[in-house]
């Protein structure tokens, strides 16, 4: 059975006990997490259960146009009041330059991108977290009452370390 079929089978079992009256789109902890898509960063690694937080993921845990679209909805519409930006050690975006990623993926795809793509490659994980925090703090829709803090997840130890600005 392939991965998608496994997910579908698990979902069929989940749906048997699903009760829409007992769940909400509003995070119980009032928390949004912007983090990398790396599988080592999980709800369990953050001590989060289902419905505790909005988790916004992308390669590198980077503030992109899409995360700027998602975070105001999370805050203004769904009531979050804290944001964690989490990057991690041993990130794939630290292993390549922007140019090398473009060359590699274009070579494997066999075609150039049909629309502009930026990968946001970086070399220093703490500096990258600070850059993401800066991007959020200067955006007009991210207000002072929204508490924003940055962290690095150490994939060797499983521990979060706060990045101070």
């Amino acid at each position: 059975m392939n991965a998608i079929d496994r997910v579908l089978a698990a979902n069929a079992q989940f749906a048997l006990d699903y009760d829409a009256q007992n769940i909400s789109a509003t995070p119980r902890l009032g928390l949004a997490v912007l983090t990398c898509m790396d599988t080592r960063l999980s709800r369990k690694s953050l001590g989060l259960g289902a419905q505790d937080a909005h988790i916004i993921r992308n390669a590198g845990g980077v503030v992109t146009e899409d995360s700027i679209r998602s975070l105001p909805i999370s805050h203004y519409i769904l009531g979050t009041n804290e944001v964690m930006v989490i990057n991690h050690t041993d990130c794939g975006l630290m292993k390549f330059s922007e140019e090398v990623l473009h060359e590699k993926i274009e070579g494997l795809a066999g075609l150039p991108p049909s629309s502009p793509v930026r990968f946001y490659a970086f070399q220093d994980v703490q500096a990258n977290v600070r850059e993401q925090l800066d991007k959020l703090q200067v955006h007009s829709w991210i207000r002072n009452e929204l508490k924003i803090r940055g962290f690095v997840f150490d994939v060797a130890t499983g521990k979060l370390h706060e990045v101070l600005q």
Side-chain angles (χ1 to χ4, degrees), residues 24-33 51-54 56 70-83 145-147:
S24 171
T26 302
R28 282 190 285 235
L29 299 179
L31 175 66
V33 178
Q51 301 181 64
D52 281 348
H54 287 148
I56 302 162
S70 298
L71 285 169
I73 291 171
S74 178
H75 175 58
Y76 292 108
I77 307 302
L78 296 167
T80 59
N81 52 26
E82 293 182 78
V83 176
E145 72 263 12
L146 190 59
K147 293 173 190 74

Side-chain angles (χ1 to χ4, degrees), residues 3 9 29 57 75 77 79 81-83 94 97 102 112 120 123 126 146 157:
L29 299 179
R57 298 179 81 122
H75 175 58
I77 307 302
N81 52 26
E82 293 182 78
V83 176
M94 295 171 65
S97 68
H102 272 274
Y120 300 93
Q123 297 300 308
Q126 290 201 16
L146 190 59
T157 66

Side-chain angles (χ1 to χ4, degrees), residues 38 40 87-91 94 125 152-156:
D38 190 287
R40 296 169 286 190
N87 284 196
H88 64 92
T89 58
D90 193 40
C91 184
M94 295 171 65
V125 67
V152 172
F153 178 81
D154 187 325
V155 299

Side-chain angles (χ1 to χ4, degrees), residues 24-73:
S24 171
T26 302
R28 282 190 285 235
L29 299 179
L31 175 66
V33 178
L34 172 60
T35 191
C36 187
M37 64 187 199
D38 190 287
T39 60
R40 296 169 286 190
L41 282 158
S42 64
R43 280 193 340 213
K44 184 177 180 182
S45 71
L46 303 177
L48 297 173
Q51 301 181 64
D52 281 348
H54 287 148
I55 301 178
I56 302 162
R57 298 179 81 122
N58 64 40
V62 175
V63 174
T64 61
E65 182 179 315
D66 192 60
S67 54
I68 289 294
R69 179 183 69 86
S70 298
L71 285 169
I73 291 171

